Amino acid sequence: MQNKVAVVTGGASGIGRAVAEKLNELGCKVVIADFNPETGNAAAEAIGATFIQADLSDAEQCRSLIEQTAKLHGSVDILVNNAGFQHISPIEDFPVDQWNKLLAVMLTAPFLLMRYSWPMMKQNRWGRVINIASVHAMVASPFKAGYISAKHGVIGLTKTAALEGGEFGITVNAICPAYVRTPLVENQIADQARTRGIKEDQVVTDVMLKNAAIKKLIEPEEVANLVAFLASDLASSITGSSMTIDSGWTAQ
Ligand SMILES: NC(=O)c1ccc[n+]([C@@H]2O[C@H](COP(=O)([O-])OP(=O)(O)OC[C@H]3O[C@@H](n4cnc5c(N)ncnc54)[C@H](O)[C@@H]3O)[C@@H](O)[C@H]2O)c1
């Protein structure tokens, strides 16, 4: 993967940061794209990557991110669509603006970034798109209508793009983790406790790990290792797949 150009969205924190670090270790030229300039710049500096600020809910900023990367490094070889957030609310109270934003960041942005990177990957006859979906791309839980709808959508996008990319050496896959120890998870413990009327420590044991055969939160590095494998030539025949890292959640 020496000198491959990798764009990692949401690379300032959590899973994205671990992915950026891993791809950098493997010799990629990594661009961290995030809307948070403080954490984005700090992560890029610590890792030795480049930071480009982008709010991926904005279509124009998605286009500009790919253009800036191509100008800087000449191409986009690996695209990791990872940026995301969560909103917890029953459907009857679900804010429409949150619904629109969840779909914009976690479904439309992956489509746009892929659309703008595609001609370069096609020309190079090599490309990797890895969409960080979720176990919630396969099964549902209450109070997460926007998140779960966006994540299910990204599986359809993954399969369609995989079919179109095959003849050009472009693979497109999704990774579906259960609960990973990141700020996104830590921040939703209080929200879940309030919405469900339970204590915060019960959220981890009774909600987050309820369906897991292995009763522990997953570490971001475990997801980063699978990204690295899917981005490598070892995975050149794997495309259109949705791989779980879910501690056995969907085995039942
Ligand atoms: N943590 C988990 O348990 C878990 C499980 C399954 C899937 N995921 C998915 O993994 C991905 C990363 O999650 P995480 O847990 O590392 O979260 P995180 O909150 O630690 O990191 C998410 C990053 O995305 C960035 N981001 C959010 N909205 C953005 C926008 N509009 N434009 C640009 N950047 C934006 C944030 O600034 C942040 O740096 C998400 O897509 C999430 O749905 C996480």
Side-chain angles (χ1 to χ4, degrees):
M1 270 183 275
Q2 205 63 34
N3 290 327
K4 296 284 191 211
V5 180
V7 174
V8 182
T9 72
S13 170
I15 295 170
R17 183 175 166 145
V19 169
E21 203 161 350
K22 184 77 194 171
L23 293 179
N24 185 69
E25 264 169 41
L26 294 171
C28 293
K29 294 177 187 162
V30 176
V31 170
I32 288 177
D34 206 289
F35 71 175
N36 186 326
E38 285 93 51
T39 51
N41 273 312
E45 205 170 305
I47 291 167
T50 305
F51 173 63
I52 296 181
Q53 188 179 5
D55 179 350
L56 301 171
S57 64
D58 181 290
E60 183 49 35
Q61 294 189 44
C62 289
R63 196 184 53 75
S64 164
L65 165 63
I66 299 303
E67 261 181 26
Q68 287 181 69
T69 305
K71 207 176 266 179
L72 189 69
H73 291 309
S75 189
V76 174
D77 302 306
I78 300 168
L79 170 63
V80 184
N81 284 309
N82 164 81
F85 67 104
Q86 182 64 271
H87 185 88
I88 313 271
S89 177
I91 285 183
E92 62 192 314
D93 300 326
F94 210 97
V96 175
D97 65 330
Q98 286 298 306
W99 167 274
N100 288 334
K101 196 148 194 194
L102 285 157
L103 263 66
V105 174
M106 297 192 296
L107 182 55
T108 304
F111 158 70
L112 291 171
L113 298 174
M114 203 188 310
R115 186 188 188 288
Y116 296 128
S117 306
W118 204 258
M120 293 179 269
M121 294 181 178
K122 207 167 148 180
Q123 192 179 3
N124 296 339
R125 297 197 78 78
W126 197 96
R128 295 285 186 267
V129 181
I130 298 155
N131 296 318
I132 307 301
S134 168
V135 70
H136 280 128
M138 302 189 149
V139 295
S141 298
F143 314 126
K144 296 183 171 183
Y147 183 89
I148 289 172
S149 302
K151 295 297 191 186
H152 273 68
V154 108
I155 300 298
L157 174 64
T158 301
K159 290 178 180 173
T160 309
L163 297 182
E164 294 186 24
E167 65 181 293
F168 306 111
I170 305 170
T171 68
V172 186
N173 292 289
I175 297 180
C176 301
Y179 286 96
V180 183
R181 193 190 308 279
T182 70
L184 182 140
V185 161
E186 277 150 15
N187 293 339
Q188 71 175 275
I189 291 176
D191 286 352
Q192 290 241 27
R194 200 170 38 253
T195 310
R196 291 170 183 267
I198 57 176
K199 291 189 185 137
E200 292 194 10
D201 53 359
Q202 283 178 286
V203 172
V204 177
T205 53
D206 301 357
V207 179
M208 295 183 169
L209 299 179
K210 179 170 166 260
N211 296 312
I214 302 167
K215 300 285 184 195
K216 67 168 186 62
L217 292 177
I218 298 158
E219 299 302 328
E221 293 72 24
E222 296 180 69
V223 182
N225 286 333
L226 184 52
V227 171
F229 172 68
L230 288 172
S232 75
D233 284 329
L234 294 173
S236 60
S237 301
I238 301 178
T239 196
S241 75
S242 305
M243 297 192 173
T244 54
I245 306 188
D246 69 356
S247 306
W249 179 333
T250 56
Q252 51 208 305

